[in-house]
Amino acid sequence: MAEEAAKAVEPNAELLEWPKKDKRRLLHAVYRVGDLERTIKFYTEGFGMKLLRHRDIPEEKYSNAFLGFGPEESNFVVELTYNYGVNSYDIGSGFGHFAIATEDVYKLVEKLRAIGGNITREPGPVKGGTSVIAFVKDPDGYTFELIQRGPTPEPLCQVMLRVGDLDRSIKFYEKALGMKLLRKIDRPEQKYTLAMIGYDDEDKTTVLELTYNYGVTEYTKGNAYAQVAICTDDVYKSGEVVNLVIQELGGKITRQPGPIPGINTKITSFLDPDGWKTVLVDNEDFLKELHG
């Protein structure tokens, strides 16, 4: 019996090493907007993003646009979805914000204010620190944190999500997705703890900021923010790992690994223990889709 158990553990241990060896990065965040052209205008003129792709799918009654600070082959981007006839969404209490790194927060805030941006926190140092930040809401009510930093290859630097058990979430993203815990900050005076997790340092790539508010274990998801996508060299093996980790920590597979009909890009998708969705996308298929 002991031998059989040991044999069963070995392949699992080997499988759980896969996410750390895999070639991964955050590809994009998907969310819904009420007026695609209005949002494109705000992001390009205000934030300085580039419109990278724009497609209309009339038979399925939606359009989407991809925007970011660099090409999709190397940079994290936002995928905006407009569903015909739907002009507003509920963001819910769980989604926090996106973040943009800039060399001059004060200058960016004035630029955003001039085009009608809703500045919800004026620029200035964080409480008890030296980092200069500001907060602004886009036309749909999504919050963007603006962070003053030196030059970076990835200005679109954070996606913040609220979670009900921070240690469980850190463990989930480390084991299921091979992310690294970059730092953890506890702010007892403000009654929250946050963790930055990702595939590289914060000034080099996009990271997830997971926030735990003392005593709050559940949040509403709304219907506005959808998911993040992450690339992988093997959707099937990655799906097996996620399945194993879900059995231990919670979550749910929402799409088994396999090709999307009509496009043939291989994906798998799942919910983490808090219900936040991630889609894993085959690296080669993603590049083919981009260049096809």
Side-chain angles (χ1 to χ4, degrees):
M1 285 290 286
E3 267 182 47
E4 281 173 29
K7 277 177 188 169
V9 168
E10 274 172 37
N12 284 359
E14 197 179 314
L15 189 59
L16 287 165
E17 287 299 305
W18 164 246
K20 296 172 199 162
K21 300 171 187 169
D22 195 11
K23 191 180 167 190
R24 296 193 178 188
R25 68 178 181 88
L26 283 154
L27 296 175
H28 49 252
V30 183
Y31 53 104
R32 301 169 185 100
V33 298
D35 182 333
L36 195 56
E37 296 312 317
R38 176 185 67 185
T39 306
I40 290 169
K41 189 173 169 33
F42 188 83
Y43 286 12
T44 53
E45 293 180 11
F47 293 138
M49 290 187 196
K50 299 178 186 83
L51 175 61
L52 303 164
R53 281 195 284 161
H54 191 191
R55 60 188 181 193
D56 189 32
I57 324 287
E59 63 277 14
E60 291 177 43
K61 297 185 177 172
Y62 78 90
S63 304
N64 61 10
F66 295 78
L67 295 98
F69 291 98
E72 288 180 71
E73 289 86 345
S74 57
N75 285 68
F76 183 69
V77 306
V78 293
E79 178 182 342
L80 309 175
T81 301
Y82 168 69
N83 292 301
Y84 291 10
V86 185
N87 56 22
S88 69
Y89 292 93
D90 169 24
I91 292 173
S93 61
F95 176 79
H97 61 256
F98 299 107
I100 292 173
T102 177
E103 290 181 58
D104 190 337
V105 164
Y106 296 91
K107 193 173 166 186
L108 182 54
V109 163
E110 288 319 306
K111 190 176 170 189
L112 291 162
R113 203 192 309 273
I115 61 165
N118 175 12
I119 312 301
T120 56
R121 184 206 189 271
E122 292 293 335
V126 294
K127 198 174 177 182
T130 55
S131 299
V132 174
I133 65 163
F135 281 93
V136 63
K137 283 192 175 179
D138 78 359
D140 287 275
Y142 291 100
T143 297
F144 281 78
E145 181 180 6
L146 310 174
I147 304 169
Q148 193 151 296
R149 274 189 194 160
T152 170
E154 186 47 88
L156 192 52
C157 59
Q158 285 172 12
V159 180
M160 191 277 252
L161 304 170
R162 297 183 179 96
V163 298
D165 179 335
L166 188 59
D167 289 331
R168 178 186 65 185
S169 294
I170 291 167
K171 201 173 175 186
F172 184 89
Y173 282 92
E174 284 177 331
K175 288 183 84 169
L177 288 167
M179 290 188 181
K180 291 179 283 196
L181 174 62
L182 303 167
R183 61 187 172 119
K184 192 175 174 185
I185 306 154
D186 188 32
R187 302 250 189 247
E189 67 288 353
Q190 287 151 293
K191 297 186 177 172
Y192 73 84
T193 308
L194 62 85
M196 299 292 189
I197 58 169
Y199 294 110
D200 206 341
D201 297 337
E202 287 175 66
D203 59 347
K204 291 180 187 152
T205 189
T206 309
V207 301
L208 294 183
E209 176 182 340
L210 303 177
T211 299
Y212 168 69
N213 291 301
Y214 291 11
V216 185
T217 57
E218 284 186 26
Y219 294 93
T220 59
K221 296 292 179 299
N223 60 357
Y225 171 81
Q227 68 220 28
V228 290
I230 294 171
C231 57
T232 172
D233 277 341
D234 189 331
V235 161
Y236 299 95
K237 201 189 266 193
S238 296
E240 280 183 66
V241 175
V242 170
N243 202 28
L244 269 182
V245 178
I246 281 173
Q247 287 168 41
E248 180 197 350
L249 297 170
K252 182 185 176 184
I253 300 281
T254 53
R255 187 191 181 104
Q256 292 297 335
I260 302 167
I263 304 174
N264 293 325
T265 299
K266 292 182 288 296
I267 68 163
T268 185
S269 65
F270 60 91
L271 305 179
D272 77 359
D274 288 277
W276 295 115
K277 187 177 176 184
T278 298
V279 178
L280 288 165
V281 184
D282 180 89
N283 263 317
E284 280 188 24
D285 291 350
F286 173 69
L287 292 173
K288 277 180 201 163
E289 200 182 315
L290 274 187
H291 302 134

